[in-house]
Amino acid sequence: MAKAIPQETGQLPRGGVAIADYLVVGAGAAGLATALCLGKRGSVILMSKGSPRASASYRAQGGIAYPLPEELNEHAEDTRRTGSALVDEEVLRTYLSRAGDAFAFLEDLGVPFERHPDGSLVRVREGGYTHARIARTADHIGRSLTTAMIHALAHAPSVRILPYARLLRILVHEGNAVGGIFSRRGTPFVVLARMTFLATGGFAGLFARSTHAAHALGEGTFLAWEAGAVLRDLEFVQFHPTALARGRLPLPLLTEALRGSGARIVDAAGVPLLERIHPLGDLAPRDVVARTLYEEGMRGRSAFLDLRPVANLRQRFPTVWRILRRAGFDPERPVPVTPAAHYTIGGILASAEGRTTLPRLFALGEAASTGFHGANRLASNSLLEIFVQSLLACEDATRTEAPLPNEVAAHHARKALDRVPRGLPDVPKSALLRRVRELLWRRAGIVRDGTELRAALDELSRLRQRLVARASPEAVPFLPDAAVLGTATLFVRSALAREESRGVHARRDFPGMEVRPRHTLLLPPKRPDSRDRETFYGFPSPEEGELLRVNAKGIPDGFPSPPTPLP
């Protein structure tokens, strides 16, 4: 049995190096589900930056998309329409064909889905849906899913968990991902594995208005790119239209299921805002609703969510009721709402199973760009993607021959570990993070233009230069500030390159949509020896790496081929 970190004590590995069959980074729904599945096939080390109860998955309210077999075509059409011609058809068909397996996995865990007296599922409708196809557990689906998986992991002896450990670097040996370097309370250590699974989430926490906690800063995205993985469509960040307008982050989410149950978005006089904007009215896709509320705000006008049409609000949406009461709002009166960054659609280019362009590195959940969502995510499709992709990744990994890292790889890992300074901070400096958040919200938020995006790049470059000048050269590559600046810069580069308005990406200077849908690819930075990136050559600038615009389904000449063809 491979040596691993003790599950209950959270002790660091002796000698600074641990080995397992599989390394999973991230303890949201994607990481927990993948660790559970892989734990039946080998030893697993599950690393997380925070508690699973602090993840974005835990706070999910609405539900999980669950189309019945006779509804698959309709659900596919809703997904396509919302995704603005960038949905990958093969991935879409694969995920929908395995929806029943994902739901069976959750029911086996004991997730308490709501049911009618006759035993049939209660399903609700959200924005972008033609009919109700979303299974729910009141309005706390995330808590229900996470709690069930944590309970199952407590009875999975092959899975070892170490929380509050930050990923510093993905290790690569002979062209393969072989694990990572981590830091916990200033002490660095290494985990080596046959395969590495990144479930590190997105970067919606990099905006001043966000429904995410401080954990969602996109470090995993930047580190995957630095290690050699291709990124895709980072410009596609979804803004949820109805976050509760209050000062503190994260902004509480007021689930879209409220509008599916009759709630209306109104102005200060109580006049509905969306009836003349979109045929679906209050159930228009999120990008339409978010831009409408953004434009209202730009005119100095506030928007409100009128919950009075929702029958039995307190019983059906207890989480929302508690949120409003604790924040001092009366649910019997319209409450102020604002759009807020909520979900990263783009990410690490990955196949349906999560394979990236870096062999033996998988990207799962919000960290991945599989093409399932296209340019705009259909509500509640993300949880469906997570559980289908986790099952597929597990099946794929166990079919693939991948030896444990050998002594040479372990030797390189120890040399790399020796170069990591002790006492590194676990979180970025609050002043820098605040500046990045305000900058992205102001210059690269819901509606963008080239002048503002170029100004954002200039400011991010100045912040990076200041960081490099003030910190020691040995520490810079491992500082959380560096990864935050790196992810923010890659995102703005992608937004500047897409000179059109499509899905969640809106440009004032390019309001039209290109006839031929294209992806934005960010190729990784070149290194003197691309096969041994665990030997550090300095902090890569996020301005490095070629940026390509390619036709949907197209692969440009010279694009590094993954171990198996991407769909």
Side-chain angles (χ1 to χ4, degrees), residues 65 75 78 125-131 133-134 280 378-381:
H75 192 83
D78 286 349
R125 185 183 176 196
E126 294 186 3
Y129 281 74
T130 49
H131 293 95
R133 292 192 300 275
I134 299 167
L280 291 176
L378 183 67
S380 296
N381 253 356

Side-chain angles (χ1 to χ4, degrees), residues 130-479:
T130 49
H131 293 95
R133 292 192 300 275
I134 299 167
R136 65 195 296 264
T137 61
D139 61 347
H140 46 74
I141 183 71
R143 187 172 75 221
S144 299
L145 297 173
T146 304
T147 300
M149 288 189 287
I150 291 173
H151 178 76
L153 282 169
H155 303 280
S158 58
V159 180
R160 300 292 181 259
I161 306 170
L162 186 65
Y164 310 107
R166 183 170 67 88
L167 178 64
L168 301 180
R169 185 63 56 98
I170 296 169
L171 291 173
V172 180
H173 181 67
E174 295 183 345
N176 298 302
V178 294
I181 302 178
F182 298 84
S183 176
R184 189 169 189 255
R185 296 170 185 160
T187 301
F189 60 95
V190 164
V191 178
L192 298 177
R194 301 176 192 271
M195 295 180 181
T196 300
F197 297 79
L198 287 186
T200 47
F203 53 87
L206 288 181
F207 292 83
R209 297 186 188 182
S210 173
T211 62
H212 284 256
H215 299 306
L217 304 179
E219 300 102 314
T221 302
F222 178 76
L223 294 173
W225 172 81
E226 190 279 333
V230 175
L231 308 182
R232 183 172 69 178
D233 295 339
L234 293 191
E235 64 272 24
F236 293 138
V237 176
Q238 188 175 70
F239 292 80
H240 198 289
T242 54
L244 184 63
R246 71 170 196 187
R248 259 192 350 234
L249 288 182
L251 299 182
L253 181 69
L254 301 181
T255 173
E256 204 158 4
L258 290 164
R259 284 180 282 134
S261 300
R264 308 294 303 277
I265 295 176
V266 299
D267 62 16
V271 177
L273 288 174
L274 290 156
E275 284 185 347
R276 289 174 290 187
I277 301 296
H278 194 276
L280 291 176
D282 285 276
L283 289 175
R286 287 179 177 177
D287 62 311
V288 175
V289 183
R291 280 197 293 273
T292 300
L293 270 61
Y294 170 81
E295 296 294 349
E296 285 292 300
M298 293 297 290
R299 299 185 187 104
R301 299 198 287 258
S302 298
F304 300 83
L305 188 64
D306 187 353
L307 301 170
R308 289 173 295 185
V310 180
N312 302 315
L313 175 68
R314 187 172 186 175
Q315 291 73 33
R316 294 174 62 198
F317 297 93
T319 302
V320 169
W321 184 275
R322 285 195 301 271
I323 286 172
L324 295 176
R325 285 300 192 187
R326 287 173 182 172
F329 292 99
D330 181 2
E332 299 300 326
R333 299 173 61 86
V335 296
V337 291
T338 179
H342 180 60
Y343 187 87
T344 305
I345 295 169
I348 305 164
L349 177 60
S351 67
E353 302 84 6
R355 283 185 176 266
T356 73
T357 56
L358 177 59
R360 301 190 196 171
L361 178 70
F362 288 69
L364 306 170
E366 194 174 350
S369 171
T370 64
F372 181 51
H373 305 301
N376 187 17
R377 177 179 67 109
L378 183 67
S380 296
N381 253 356
S382 51
L383 285 177
L384 173 62
E385 178 183 43
I386 280 172
F387 291 105
V388 172
Q389 191 188 32
S390 297
L391 294 176
L392 293 175
C394 187
E395 293 168 3
D396 185 71
T398 53
R399 285 195 303 263
T400 304
E401 289 292 330
L404 282 169
N406 57 27
E407 285 302 319
V408 176
H411 173 71
H412 279 290
R414 291 187 182 94
K415 285 177 60 179
L417 183 61
D418 290 340
R419 299 186 183 188
V420 180
R422 271 54 179 169
L424 290 168
D426 291 327
V427 296
K429 291 181 179 178
S430 58
L432 179 135
L433 183 55
R434 187 163 53 248
R435 287 193 64 173
V436 171
R437 283 172 166 163
E438 290 295 340
L439 172 66
L440 294 190
W441 178 259
R442 187 175 72 253
R443 298 191 183 277
I446 297 174
V447 181
R448 306 155 183 167
D449 66 54
T451 301
E452 292 292 318
L453 291 170
R454 281 186 285 271
L457 280 178
D458 290 343
E459 189 165 345
L460 288 168
S461 179
R462 287 193 294 271
L463 289 172
R464 180 181 175 276
Q465 290 168 10
R466 193 174 307 163
L467 173 67
V468 172
R470 292 181 177 180
S472 68
E474 297 80 12
V476 167
F478 309 105
L479 292 175

Side-chain angles (χ1 to χ4, degrees), residues 466-507:
R466 193 174 307 163
L467 173 67
V468 172
R470 292 181 177 180
S472 68
E474 297 80 12
V476 167
F478 309 105
L479 292 175
D481 310 65
V484 163
L485 290 171
T487 303
T489 302
L490 294 173
F491 156 68
V492 177
R493 284 181 64 192
S494 296
L496 184 60
R498 184 172 289 278
E499 295 182 338
E500 66 163 345
S501 292
R502 183 183 297 274
V504 295
H505 175 73
R507 291 279 298 260

